[in-house]
Amino acid sequence: MVLLAFGTLGDQAHDERDPRAAVRVAQTNYTGAVSAGLVCASALQAQGHGSLVVLSSVAGERARRANFIYGSSKAGLDAFAQGLGDALYGTGVHVMVVRPGFVRTRMTAGLPGGPLATTPEAVAAAVELGLRRRAETVWVPGTLRMVMSALRHLPRGVFRRLPV
Ligand SMILES: NC(=O)c1ccc[n+]([C@@H]2O[C@H](COP(=O)([O-])OP(=O)(O)OC[C@H]3O[C@@H](n4cnc5c(N)ncnc54)[C@H](OP(=O)(O)O)[C@@H]3O)[C@@H](O)[C@H]2O)c1
């Protein structure tokens, strides 16, 4: 099993003024994952079984004003991982996309979490359960699936005004 869990949040306000910093976020989260993901997929395919678990994010579900640089990099990563999962379907290799919300880690230290904030331990438990079920998508917490399903369909003008 390969757990692809690297990533960087960046600093949205700073990165909007410094395109090179924004590109670093995109390169780490998207380009880095495309590169590492394909290398790992090839190794797993060669052995004929195994799982590639990809840490995506709810931030990739819909770009938010507050973190659209990070969010767009995660949207790209998420789409890539879904496509890779389809490409490997039937080969014995399973790709699982994990979409956590706010997780209290070094990445989010000092940021306000909100009511659905969760922990690395909860993400780990959800990953383990997802692997046992051979799930293709895992939301953490699970309620985010319904929340994002609603948010995804809000008109732009309404979504823009939400304090998210
Ligand atoms: N925390 C959240 O709220 C949250 C929510 C949704 C998804 N995620 C995703 O979950 C994953 C894990 O994040 P985390 O919260 O555990 O954050 P974290 O504690 O900051 O860990 C990020 C990891 O990525 C590595 N990394 C960052 N930039 C790298 C680069 N350019 N090359 C190689 N490694 C690099 C870091 O390595 P070093 O230790 O060497 O710096 C660190 O091990 C990430 O993909 C993140 O986007 C996090």
Side-chain angles (χ1 to χ4, degrees):
M1 191 273 279
V2 178
L3 179 64
L4 205 153
F6 57 80
T8 183
L9 186 58
D11 176 339
Q12 176 74 30
H14 171 269
D15 297 350
E16 282 181 34
R17 297 189 302 273
D18 181 353
R20 283 170 306 182
V23 166
R24 271 198 295 277
V25 173
Q27 278 180 337
T28 301
N29 295 348
Y30 178 66
T31 313
V34 169
S35 167
L38 288 174
V39 170
C40 295
S42 165
L44 290 169
Q45 217 176 340
Q47 78 173 11
H49 62 95
S51 294
L52 174 61
V53 180
V54 179
L55 266 287
S56 178
S57 171
V58 290
E61 269 295 286
R62 187 159 189 187
R64 292 191 288 126
R65 169 66 189 94
N67 75 347
F68 66 82
I69 296 173
Y70 173 79
S72 63
S73 71
K74 286 297 194 180
L77 160 75
D78 198 293
F80 169 77
Q82 288 181 57
L84 185 61
D86 289 342
L88 294 174
Y89 188 79
T91 66
V93 180
H94 155 237
V95 178
M96 188 168 88
V97 176
V98 183
R99 298 190 187 131
F102 187 100
V103 189
R104 296 187 198 287
T105 66
R106 194 174 42 143
M107 179 179 277
T108 55
L111 299 175
L116 292 178
T118 188
T119 61
E121 290 75 16
V123 177
V127 165
E128 190 192 356
L129 186 63
L131 283 170
R132 289 186 198 286
R133 291 180 175 165
R134 239 176 143 72
E136 293 185 314
T137 316
V138 168
W139 297 81
V140 198
T143 45
L144 275 177
R145 189 171 73 85
M146 297 307 292
V147 172
M148 290 312 296
S149 158
L151 286 180
R152 195 187 306 124
H153 294 102
L154 281 183
R156 282 275 290 281
V158 176
F159 186 72
R160 200 179 286 136
R161 287 177 179 77
L162 290 182
V164 291

